[in-house]
Amino acid sequence: MNLLNSKNSQYLLMLISAFLLSGNAISQNYPTKPIRLVVPFPPGGPTDIVARPLSLLLEERLKDQIVIENKGGAGGSIGADLVAKAAPDGYTLLMGTVGTNAINGSLYKQLPYDMTKDFTPIALVASAPVVIAMNSNDRIKTLAELIADARAKPDSIAFGTAGNGTPGHLTGALFESVAQVKFKHIPYKGSAPAVTDLIGGQIPLVFDPIQSVLPHIISGKLRALAVTSKTRSPLLPNVPTVAELGYPQFESTAWWALFAPAKLPEAITKKLRATTESVAQSPAFKERLGNLGVQPNTDFKESLANFQMSEIAKWARVVRDSGATID
């Protein structure tokens, strides 16, 4: 009997060793072909702007090509759903956002994916404030003037965003609730077309992450009324925060994180996480984002999974309290 148990134990140890070795082999060999990074918004928008330098630096470390696929629409849900339903082999990744992976579940009654169950969280990459911006030719010059106009004529001022459920949309909805105003929301399929229409005069206002509007603010085409972070942006030092202008508890930031489909093998998850964290902490990534107003994440003490859960709870309250709905 003891001999039988001994043989069984040896066989079990051999199986465990083989399993561990196979996991290490998967990690060491991965990747062996190009990786698809799905950006759930059109080219030129905030998410695309973060994804491109990230992909280039990941390529250098992973020693294989990363192909960006822009798949915009439905507040990023179309692209996110594509990744959620992809094979969990490490060759399809999502440049997730606060919208796709923290907000949309509260806004969409029939979201085609589950924000947590359908993804493997890899790492938080970067964050940025939202900017309240207008065309420079508009007669409104300050946030106070915008609020006064909106209160006098509810629903008359349209604000464009990258789409339903995006940081701009929810920041706008939160601002409506806090400032007791009512705008008309115009969702686009990404930031780039919204900003184009703002510059062209088709809409008077946008709520959008800083990197998509900053070049046009610097060039003088757009006027920034306020930023939504706790402190002023170093790149817009003369633009006040919403908190400074009479709403001390107001804060909203956009963030970007890397996700893979659920059930990604642990060995690949660990390799992707370590590589992504290395990129986010690198001087090269900071340099490429530095002039965009985006802050790379350098603190990985909290897991992306835990951070995501806290963000889901936060934005669920915003959706409930503001009464935001999908148009």
Side-chain angles (χ1 to χ4, degrees):
M1 187 70 175
N2 289 337
L3 181 62
L4 182 61
N5 286 340
S6 177
K7 287 183 178 180
N8 286 341
S9 297
Q10 290 177 358
Y11 180 65
L12 181 59
L13 287 171
M14 288 174 61
L15 286 177
I16 293 173
S17 298
F19 175 76
L20 292 174
L21 285 171
S22 67
N24 288 334
I26 290 173
S27 175
Q28 289 172 3
N29 292 333
Y30 170 84
T32 59
K33 62 181 180 179
I35 298 169
R36 176 174 60 159
L37 176 58
V38 176
V39 174
F41 296 96
T47 306
D48 190 68
I49 289 171
V50 172
R52 291 188 183 274
L54 176 69
S55 67
L56 291 174
L57 293 170
L58 283 175
E59 276 185 353
E60 292 178 5
R61 288 163 170 77
L62 293 174
K63 309 299 182 185
D64 217 320
Q65 184 181 14
I66 295 181
V67 180
I68 288 182
E69 180 178 335
N70 294 92
K71 200 76 174 178
S77 296
I78 292 175
D81 186 48
L82 186 154
V83 176
K85 293 178 171 53
D89 55 10
Y91 292 100
T92 301
L93 304 175
L94 173 69
M95 189 76 265
T97 71
V98 60
T100 59
N101 291 83
I103 294 174
N104 287 0
S106 297
L107 282 178
Y108 289 82
K109 293 181 179 179
Q110 296 183 336
L111 195 67
Y113 60 89
D114 186 290
M115 295 188 298
T116 56
K117 294 179 181 178
D118 289 341
F119 296 96
T120 298
I122 305 299
L124 180 66
V125 172
S127 61
V130 170
V131 177
I132 305 174
M134 303 194 74
N135 190 298
S136 292
N137 294 323
D138 199 286
R139 61 181 180 77
I140 293 175
K141 301 290 190 293
T142 67
L143 192 67
E145 290 177 1
L146 174 66
I147 291 170
D149 252 36
R151 286 177 178 171
K153 297 173 286 185
D155 283 316
S156 65
I157 300 176
F159 76 98
T161 70
N164 290 312
T166 58
H169 176 205
L170 261 289
T171 300
L174 178 60
F175 183 78
E176 285 179 307
S177 176
V178 170
Q180 298 182 341
V181 296
K182 184 61 179 174
F183 298 126
K184 181 179 180 181
H185 178 218
I186 308 295
Y188 286 78
K189 290 184 178 180
S191 292
V195 173
T196 297
D197 274 6
L198 178 62
I199 293 171
Q202 281 73 43
I203 55 173
L205 177 70
V206 296
F207 284 74
D208 214 36
I210 189 171
Q211 63 268 48
S212 62
V213 295
L214 183 61
H216 307 294
I217 293 170
I218 293 172
S219 72
K221 294 178 182 177
L222 299 181
R223 177 186 298 114
L225 303 184
V227 295
T228 64
S229 47
K230 283 184 178 179
T231 58
R232 296 190 182 198
S233 167
L235 296 182
L236 295 174
N238 297 321
V239 178
T241 66
V242 174
E244 288 178 66
L245 297 174
Y247 305 94
Q249 302 305 315
F250 193 95
E251 181 193 6
S252 174
T253 56
W255 53 260
W256 296 269
L258 198 65
F259 291 86
K263 300 179 181 179
L264 185 70
E266 184 63 22
I268 295 178
T269 300
K270 286 182 177 180
K271 184 167 187 176
L272 274 174
R273 182 169 295 140
T275 307
T276 305
E277 290 178 1
S278 173
V279 167
Q281 294 171 316
S282 70
F285 190 57
K286 182 178 181 180
E287 181 181 350
R288 296 186 190 200
L289 293 183
N291 61 351
L292 300 173
V294 180
Q295 295 295 318
N297 181 37
T298 57
D299 183 2
F300 294 96
K301 292 178 182 177
E302 181 182 23
S303 70
L304 174 56
N306 289 340
F307 172 76
Q308 182 189 10
M309 292 305 295
S310 66
E311 284 288 286
I312 288 172
K314 169 188 173 180
W315 288 108
R317 289 192 298 271
V318 172
V319 172
R320 182 187 67 242
D321 295 345
S322 68
T325 58
I326 295 297
D327 297 337

